[in-house]
Amino acid sequence: MDSTIPTEPSLATSADSPVQTVIVPRTRDLGGFEVRRALPTLQRRMVGPFVFLDQMGPAVFHDGRGLDVRPHPHIGLATVTYLFEGEILHRDSLGTVQAIRPGAVNWMTAGRGIVHSERTPAEGRVEGARLSGVQTWVALPRAHEEAPPSFAHTPAEALPAVEGDGVRLRVIAGALHGARSPVPVLSETLYADAALAPGARLEIPAEHEERAVLVAEGAVEVAGERHGAGRLLVLRAGRPAVVRALEPARLMVLGGDAMDGPRHVWWNFVGSSAERIEEAARAWSEGRFPAVPGESESIPLPSIPRLARYP
């Protein structure tokens, strides 16, 4: 999945609201598979280290079909895959073969360069199979942009959960409400999955420098303003926020420290140097990235460059 930057509408909020910006992603149809891209947009290109946020599906596959993302390269980022439904088989140039299922975390650190594919496994290609979830990219600190690539899988049962008053919170990365995830991170990161019963409230403390809430399912209210599914609520720095569910709702809370300088993004590459991204593009076009064992296909380099600077 590439990082083409759409121009998305944003909604105004009152000056008293803890919500600074509301991003309403457009839906993109990728051949029967819907994706709603909340980051990057022209309104907001990063939240903490998160430079990319796609909500996938829910998709229903028929006739033996499934997700088939051919091998493609990354540098300077970590991909984070988190599913609500379905299964994806990850293969990468380190030789990793790992299925991811709902509630688990696949955290792939590209560093100086990695190649991977994402496909529905053969046994999952059954009539009516469903797939939905969220994929994010986390920019790496400058000191780690050229680190060796690595892959970490954390099963669902290893993630801490906090429950009470109609809220079930699972901390994917970093810490929230006294619970800390074992998923390894390279900068201060906030990432959590919260399920809310109707009327339940979730407080988002102000302790993280940058924060946002993706309304993945249902509808919520913040400071008297209603927000439906698909919206990304970027919160004002230094102000706590309370999110109240108007119906059964599922939220993804994300953020962390602001990045240590601007970033460039082009296609599947992220970096603090445009020259480094250009070198990576040449390396992919010349076949100098490592191969993914067991894969014979690949996604070609796009013919039209599109480079974006991320403040």
Side-chain angles (χ1 to χ4, degrees):
M1 299 180 185
D2 66 44
S3 60
T4 302
I5 301 175
T7 303
E8 305 296 2
S10 59
L11 303 180
T13 61
S14 70
D16 294 332
S17 174
V19 178
Q20 182 179 48
T21 305
V22 180
I23 296 170
V24 186
R26 289 191 180 96
T27 299
R28 303 174 62 196
D29 188 338
L30 304 179
F33 185 75
E34 289 190 346
V35 170
R36 289 169 297 285
R37 182 155 300 165
L39 290 176
T41 68
L42 294 180
Q43 292 77 21
R44 184 77 184 212
R45 294 176 172 174
M46 297 179 73
V47 177
F50 290 87
V51 295
F52 177 95
L53 171 59
D54 265 3
Q55 184 176 354
M56 309 176 291
V60 180
F61 295 114
H62 301 284
D63 303 321
R65 298 177 183 174
L67 181 70
D68 279 301
V69 181
R70 294 168 292 164
H72 56 282
H74 290 289
I75 67 164
L77 58 86
T79 65
V80 188
T81 304
Y82 186 83
L83 296 183
F84 302 149
E85 296 181 281
E87 182 177 351
I88 295 175
L89 185 64
H90 163 98
R91 288 190 175 94
D92 65 38
S93 51
L94 299 174
T96 309
V97 180
Q98 177 64 60
I100 182 169
R101 300 179 180 89
V105 181
N106 273 6
W107 190 291
M108 184 186 75
T109 302
R112 61 178 175 245
I114 199 168
V115 181
H116 76 137
S117 66
E118 300 159 292
R119 301 182 186 272
T120 300
E123 61 273 17
R125 295 174 184 261
V126 297
E127 186 67 21
R130 293 174 61 86
L131 180 66
S132 67
V134 178
Q135 186 173 70
T136 60
W137 295 354
V138 174
L140 301 181
R142 287 183 177 181
H144 297 278
E145 285 183 309
E146 296 299 324
S150 62
F151 179 87
H153 175 81
T154 304
E157 58 271 20
L159 297 180
V162 179
E163 296 187 61
D165 298 325
V167 177
R168 177 175 171 81
L169 176 74
R170 302 180 73 245
V171 182
I172 300 168
L176 185 63
H177 288 304
R180 179 168 290 277
S181 168
V183 173
V185 294
L186 294 173
S187 63
E188 188 60 39
T189 303
L190 166 65
Y191 197 26
D193 172 16
L196 277 65
R201 297 171 181 265
L202 175 66
E203 180 181 356
I204 313 297
E207 60 193 17
H208 294 91
E209 188 175 2
E210 298 184 355
R211 301 156 299 146
V213 177
L214 174 69
V215 184
E217 299 173 5
V220 301
E221 180 185 74
V222 182
E225 297 174 343
R226 185 184 189 278
H227 303 284
R231 293 183 179 182
L232 180 69
L233 316 179
V234 182
L235 304 180
R236 297 184 194 276
R239 293 181 57 177
V242 176
V243 182
R244 184 174 72 90
L246 300 175
E247 57 190 64
R250 190 165 197 171
L251 314 175
M252 303 299 290
V253 183
L254 63 143
D257 286 350
M259 286 306 299
D260 55 353
R263 290 296 186 273
H264 298 276
V265 173
W266 181 72
W267 193 38
N268 298 310
F269 305 137
V270 173
S272 56
S273 162
E275 292 75 17
R276 178 65 180 91
I277 290 178
E278 291 164 0
E279 193 282 327
R282 287 193 297 270
W284 180 248
S285 66
E286 295 168 3
R288 291 189 280 115
F289 271 82
V292 178
E295 293 273 13
S296 58
E297 302 177 292
S298 65
I299 298 177
L301 193 75
S303 57
I304 302 175
R306 186 173 184 179
L307 189 65
R309 187 178 179 87
Y310 281 59

